């Protein structure tokens, strides 16, 4: 039998590796930014066109590459990061496999420009689908510039699997956040289609968080600092009252590398136990420093998963550190109800010596000095006249043994005429309650064939959804003007999302007076929408748009109506009066599609008399 095993050509092997390393344009952004950081760059620029499908370019002022290094960088398993297998447990760089550039070059058009500081000229290499088309000497500034164009040009199937531009741009911004947060000492600039998205100067960690997520973030942060022999924890957690419904602001960095860990995330949730509302997630930006020999990064191609030697100990330390910070800054509740918080000594004063208080003495004070008063004059001027008691008002009205002319005891009145009411039976019938609320979750109503059970939350969603959809499409809405404008604070990225759907929001009844980089000012809201719910509505809307970005105008209005209906619908556990129950039932069956909620889930079920009878057999 002939031999059937053969070595794959390099370009085929590179495309297979690209399937693991490069899943979308955001993967290219991550790899190129990490290479720039490994090159000791202090200024990194990211240029994006069409959400990375047309162009992803990273420009840095790092050490640059020689002619030989520039050519070798696109070969598989060629890297400057490690020399032997032992180096895998002493990693201080982002990359180490030597697969990223080779994989990217296999599925895109790549143009590399690089120059070292002591060289007079640099090198330019152009690669298309793993084939080098040109290599020239050019004049270029110190550092490296890599432009990746036409991603997946030779794999149409992979290109068709890419999502819409807003979705892909969101993934790119997520990767940009992860890298920029891990390195506040590096200046980052990002452009998309020629417009500046982020400009992050070199700063400390707190300023970097505020620059990315908006100025309002500053007051939400609680510092966390703990150092042990095993683990050093530093960073910030968000205050419980600012917890969000999404997990967008949760970042773990191990040795300046972003990771995902459900186990460590559980430690944070344990520290916040009892402080968060149901369905909300705390924000955290935590840097963990551990011995590189105690972790294994070489598990997943994206390097976002890490294996720890002793996860249980890290869990305990992390949980205790966060809990200590929440208690230190009076975030967690205490049992001492009589404690005066003004008497607490801050932790940064614990090592300072107490100073003696300075006492000021008034040398002219004489306790025996007489003071002239005007008490007698005051007494005569404001003398209080005696007031007669209330019984005196009735003196003389009635003499003993005589009857007062005002005595009405013997007066007779004509009896009130009793008339029949032909509608009395109908009124009694109206007084009978036709609906009942079960566990503040379901509304029970009787019908001819049996019993109707309605889910109040889903039913109200359906009613509100059709109302909002009608208002947006017909563009006839009623707005309730606010006495004082409401300011909602969001990150610059979230403000742009709201701007995109501003017209549709205005058709529902919202009135906007001002948009800034991270603040939205609202002067009017739809009727029956409380001003206190505005921020929650926008948070839910932003989360829905990020998870399901619409491409057509109709789907945008549909998504907006669904999101607002979900935010404003009656919640499970809310008690309703009999009138409210009847109104909800009547409104539901006045809808075009009363059977299902906007999320295509049933709003009610019916139990026939036969089904009920069978239960008692």
């Amino acid at each position: 039998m002939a031999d059937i095993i053969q070595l794959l050509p390099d370009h085929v092997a590179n495309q297979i590796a690209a399937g693991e390393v490069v899943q979308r344009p955001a993967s290219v952004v991550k790899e190129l930014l990490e290479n720039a950081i490994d090159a000791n760059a202090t200024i990194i620029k990211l240029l994006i066109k069409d959400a990375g499908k047309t162009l992803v370019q990273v420009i840095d002022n790092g050490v640059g590459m020689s002619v030989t290094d520039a050519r070798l960088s696109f070969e598989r398993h060629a890297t400057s990061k490690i020399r032997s297998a032992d180096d895998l447990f002493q990693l201080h760089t982002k990359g180490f496999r030597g697969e990223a550039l080779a994989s990217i070059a296999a599925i895109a058009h790549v143009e590399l420009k690089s120059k070292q500081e002591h060289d007079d000229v640099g090198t330019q290499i152009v690669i298309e689908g793993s084939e080098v088309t040109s290599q020239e000497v050019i004049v270029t500034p110190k550092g490296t510039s890599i432009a990746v164009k036409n991603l997946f040009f030779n794999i149409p199937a992979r290109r068709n699997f890419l999502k819409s531009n807003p979705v892909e741009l969101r993934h790119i911004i997520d990767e940009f956040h992860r890298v920029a947060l891990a390195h506040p000492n590096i200046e980052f600039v990002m452009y998309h289609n020629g417009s500046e998205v982020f400009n992050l100067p070199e700063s400390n960690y707190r300023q970097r968080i505020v620059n990315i997520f908006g100025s309002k973030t500053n007051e939400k942060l609680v510092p966390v600092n703990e150092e042990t022999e095993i683990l050093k924890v530093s960073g910030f957690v968000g205050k419980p009252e600012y917890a969000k419904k999404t997990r967008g602001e949760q970042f773990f960095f191990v040795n300046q590398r972003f990771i995902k860990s459900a186990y460590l995330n559980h430690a944070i949730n344990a520290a916040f136990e009892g402080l968060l509302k149901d369905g909300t997630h705390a924000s955290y930006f935590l840097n963990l420093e551990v011995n590189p020999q105690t972790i294994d990064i070489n598990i997943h191609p994206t390097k976002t998963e890490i294996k720890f030697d002793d996860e249980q100990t890290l869990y305990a330390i992390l949980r205790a550190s966060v809990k200590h910070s929440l208690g230190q800054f009076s975030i967690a509740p205490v049992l001492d109800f009589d404690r005066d918080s003004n008497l607490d000594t801050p932790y940064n004063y614990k090592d300072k010596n107490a100073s003696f208080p300075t006492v000021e003495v008034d040398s002219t004070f004489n306790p025996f000095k007489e003071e002239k008063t005007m008490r007698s004059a005051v007494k005569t001027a404001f003398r209080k006249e005696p007031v007669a008691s209330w019984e005196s008002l009735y003196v003389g009205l009635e003499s003993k043994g005589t009857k007062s002319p005002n005595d009405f005891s013997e007066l007779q009145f004509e009896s009130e005429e009793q008339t029949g009411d032909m509608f009395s039976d109908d009124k009694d019938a109206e007084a009978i309650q036709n609906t009942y609320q079960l566990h503040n979750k379901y509304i029970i109503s009787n019908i001819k064939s049996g019993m109707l059970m309605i889910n109040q939350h889903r039913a109200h969603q359906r009613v509100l959804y059709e109302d909002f959809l009608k208002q947006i499409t017909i563009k006839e809405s009623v707005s309730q003007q606010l006495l004082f404008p409401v300011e909602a604070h969001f990150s610059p990225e979230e403000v742009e999302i709201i701007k995109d759907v501003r017209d549709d929001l205005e058709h529902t009844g919202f009135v906007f007076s001002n948009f800034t980089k991270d603040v939205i000012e609202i002067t009017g809201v739809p009727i029956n929408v409380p001003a206190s719910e505005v921020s929650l509505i926008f948070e839910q809307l932003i989360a829905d748009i990020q998870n399901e970005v619409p491409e057509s105008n109709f789907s945008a209005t549909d998504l907006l109506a669904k999101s607002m209906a979900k935010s404003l619908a009656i919640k499970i556990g809310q008690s309703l009066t009999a009138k409210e129950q009847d109104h909800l039932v009547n409104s539901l069956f006045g809808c075009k599609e009363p059977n299902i909620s906007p999320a295509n889930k049933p709003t009610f079920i019916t139990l026939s008399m036969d089904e009920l009878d069978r239960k008692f057999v």
Side-chain angles (χ1 to χ4, degrees), residues 116 432 546 589 614:
Q116 293 180 328
I432 299 174
Q546 287 178 336
F589 289 100
R614 283 197 293 268

Side-chain angles (χ1 to χ4, degrees), residues 30 34 94 178 182 250-265 284 286-288 290 295-297 302-308 311 314 318:
K30 173 182 179 293
E34 289 182 348
K94 301 291 183 184
R178 294 166 182 175
Q250 295 184 338
F251 296 90
F252 275 125
F253 301 99
V254 175
N255 295 353
Q256 294 187 317
R257 184 191 301 275
F258 173 80
I259 67 157
K260 297 176 181 178
S261 174
Y263 188 68
L264 296 183
N265 180 70
Y284 54 81
L286 295 175
N287 297 305
L288 313 180
V290 298
I295 58 175
D296 185 6
I297 303 170
T302 60
K303 303 192 246 343
T304 56
E305 297 179 14
I306 290 182
K307 186 70 177 174
F308 297 95
E311 282 188 327
L314 298 183
L318 188 59

Side-chain angles (χ1 to χ4, degrees), residues 175-186 188 200 208 212:
E175 291 293 347
F176 182 81
H177 285 173
R178 294 166 182 175
V179 177
L181 282 172
H183 300 275
N185 58 328
I186 299 176
F188 288 90
L200 308 175
R208 177 56 55 90
I212 291 178

Side-chain angles (χ1 to χ4, degrees), residues 458 461-462 465 562 566 596-603:
R458 294 181 185 175
Q461 273 194 55
R462 165 53 64 177
Y465 167 70
K562 284 181 180 178
K566 183 164 55 175
I596 56 173
S597 70
N600 293 325
K601 294 181 179 178
T603 56

Side-chain angles (χ1 to χ4, degrees), residues 178-286:
R178 294 166 182 175
V179 177
L181 282 172
H183 300 275
N185 58 328
I186 299 176
E187 180 182 337
F188 288 90
V189 183
M190 176 180 172
Y191 296 90
H192 180 241
N193 290 340
S195 62
E196 184 179 274
V197 181
F198 289 100
N199 190 342
L200 308 175
E202 181 182 348
S203 61
N204 60 33
Y205 194 43
R206 189 179 196 120
Q207 289 172 334
R208 177 56 55 90
I209 295 172
V210 171
N211 288 336
I212 291 178
F213 295 102
S215 58
K216 191 71 174 176
T217 312
N218 190 33
E219 66 186 56
K220 305 177 184 179
L221 301 178
V222 177
V224 178
N225 284 291
E226 199 70 42
E227 187 169 355
T228 65
E229 295 179 357
I230 301 173
L231 173 68
K232 181 181 178 182
V233 184
S234 62
F236 301 90
V237 294
K239 293 180 181 178
E241 58 266 30
Y242 296 106
K244 293 193 171 185
K245 293 184 177 180
T246 59
R247 299 178 182 268
E249 294 182 3
Q250 295 184 338
F251 296 90
F252 275 125
F253 301 99
V254 175
N255 295 353
Q256 294 187 317
R257 184 191 301 275
F258 173 80
I259 67 157
K260 297 176 181 178
S261 174
Y263 188 68
L264 296 183
N265 180 70
H266 190 274
I268 304 296
N269 292 337
F272 276 92
E273 187 177 3
L275 300 176
L276 297 177
K277 295 180 182 177
D278 291 338
T280 59
H281 307 280
S283 303
Y284 54 81
F285 312 88
L286 295 175

